[in-house]
Amino acid sequence: MVLASPLALRFAQYLEHQPSLCPLQQFAGLACPSCGGTRAAFYLWGADPVQALKSNAGVTLLVLALAGLIAAGKIDVLGVLGAPTDPRHQESPR
């Protein structure tokens, strides 16, 4: 994680200077609610929450809220992915 952080920051800064791939922005010239979300996620991964908020505040707050819920145990990531979390609660074969 420590080694990935500077790489994430460099990649987010690289994305700042690339054309948008958002179809709505390309055709209508309007930014959609998720525009800048990839940069925001990489800035968060790179431990730069201020730049993440500047890139896309909504995505940044959503990612932080989900991380908080996972850390608090309110969301079981393995359960969401379909993996059994406790072998005692698995269904027995019939």
Side-chain angles (χ1 to χ4, degrees), residues 57-70:
V59 169
T60 301
L61 296 175
L62 177 67
V63 169
L64 291 175
L66 286 174
L69 289 171
I70 290 169

Side-chain angles (χ1 to χ4, degrees), residues 1-14 42-43 45-47:
M1 186 71 174
V2 172
L3 294 175
S5 180
L7 292 175
L9 280 177
R10 286 197 54 115
F11 189 67
Q13 292 164 352
Y14 167 78
F42 276 104
Y43 277 125
W45 189 8

Side-chain angles (χ1 to χ4, degrees), residues 21-41:
L21 297 176
C22 177
L24 182 64
Q25 191 169 21
Q26 284 181 349
F27 296 117
L30 301 171
C32 72
S34 65
C35 280
T38 303
R39 285 190 309 268

